[in-house]
Amino acid sequence: MNNPNRTASMGIGIFVIILVTLQIFLLTIGLEALLAYEPGQAWAAAALSTVLGAGSIGLYVFFRRS
Amino acid sequence: MTDKKETRALWKERFPTETASEEDFTRREFVRYLVVASGAFAATNIGIAAWASTRNFDTGEPRPIVAVDKIPENGSYLFRYPTKDGPAILVRLSNGDLHAFSQKCTHLGCVVIFERDEEELYCPCHKGFFDASDGRATAGPPIRPLGRIAVEVRDGVVWALGAEK
Ligand code: FES
């Protein structure tokens, strides 16, 4: 029998791990692009990072409402 | 069996893994921290992108480097290009070809040196290797090639014509 609370907490934990890992990865991509004089790549990393930031704001709003 | 249970209980009592404040840490608060952290990452990335857009690549001015006969065959000559802060290396391969590169390793910026035996450029910091004919990263942590510097021989003197990305 699955405990729904536990399942939800695990889901959030996995979401957080993926989100932070991706953000760190995007930061390294951005820095690499900076060193390689590739502003296009740096902006792409920044855009994705912003999308992830917006995703976490969405999660926050969801929790505030629930 | 009972002893084991008691021991564990005693251990938990003496070294509790939960603190009183932990109970107050709600899921909502946790997500709030997550939003702040994620926002900080996004803001940093935007800052880096803006910085990357304003950074201009200095290609340098054409200038003489050294007389060809001063560079030993299968040897190298160190110089500064495009500015005084830019370490660069000119290599003369055994087939007589001349190639110049920025000496800054594309991994973490240590200076590369010429390996005569293998005719390749080597970074001693983390054992990175580059092809001495085109600057391609061939082994180790570097991924990007070394910055190339176009060279030309004019009246027995090697000229640097400009740095390339
Ligand atoms: S700095 Fe050159 S391999 Fe790491």
Side-chain angles (χ1 to χ4, degrees):
Chain A
M1 282 281 273
N2 278 347
N3 178 346
N5 282 342
R6 200 169 156 207
T7 311
S9 301
M10 268 184 70
I12 295 162
I14 291 168
F15 179 83
V16 168
I17 290 168
I18 292 174
L19 188 102
V20 173
T21 310
L22 279 176
Q23 287 285 32
I24 293 171
F25 171 70
L26 288 170
L27 188 67
T28 59
I29 296 279
L31 286 169
E32 185 76 13
L34 174 76
L35 293 177
Y37 294 91
E38 297 281 1
Q41 193 180 315
W43 279 114
L48 273 173
S49 178
T50 308
V51 169
L52 288 179
S56 55
I57 291 173
L59 192 70
Y60 179 64
V61 171
F62 172 75
F63 280 127
R64 267 187 81 102
R65 287 198 184 148
S66 64
Chain B
M1 198 67 183
T2 326
D3 275 351
K4 211 174 187 184
K5 263 185 192 168
E6 274 172 12
T7 317
R8 199 177 289 163
L10 193 64
W11 177 84
K12 277 191 177 175
E13 201 178 291
R14 293 201 177 156
F15 303 99
T17 51
E18 282 176 17
T19 62
S21 62
E22 242 174 278
E23 286 154 21
D24 302 334
F25 194 75
T26 63
R27 198 163 58 174
R28 195 179 292 173
E29 265 175 74
F30 176 68
V31 177
R32 193 185 302 152
Y33 286 126
L34 171 69
V35 170
V36 171
S38 202
F41 271 113
T44 311
N45 262 322
I46 290 171
I48 289 171
W51 185 11
S53 302
T54 56
R55 252 178 122 216
N56 284 325
F57 184 74
D58 187 0
T59 55
E61 295 293 316
R63 68 173 175 84
I65 303 299
V66 65
V68 180
D69 52 20
K70 290 255 172 73
I71 319 161
E73 208 155 274
N74 192 19
S76 63
Y77 177 83
L78 301 180
F79 63 107
R80 300 257 157 190
Y81 196 84
T83 63
K84 271 200 273 177
D85 301 326
I89 186 165
L90 174 66
V91 293
R92 187 175 179 191
L93 303 180
S94 49
N95 63 7
D97 284 356
L98 289 164
H99 302 283
F101 305 96
S102 160
Q103 219 188 344
K104 275 189 204 162
C105 175
T106 52
H107 178 223
L108 291 176
C110 291
V111 290
V112 296
I113 49 177
F114 183 58
E115 285 276 307
R116 298 176 66 119
D117 298 342
E118 308 293 333
E119 288 208 340
E120 57 192 359
L121 292 153
Y122 167 63
C123 176
C125 285
H126 313 103
K127 293 191 168 57
F129 290 89
F130 299 88
D131 192 308
S133 59
D134 56 11
R136 218 167 11 98
T138 53
I143 296 166
R144 286 181 292 117
L146 287 175
R148 292 190 68 151
I149 298 167
V151 289
E152 188 180 83
V153 179
R154 293 179 185 169
D155 300 324
V157 174
V158 184
W159 279 64
L161 302 179
E164 297 164 13
K165 270 192 213 170

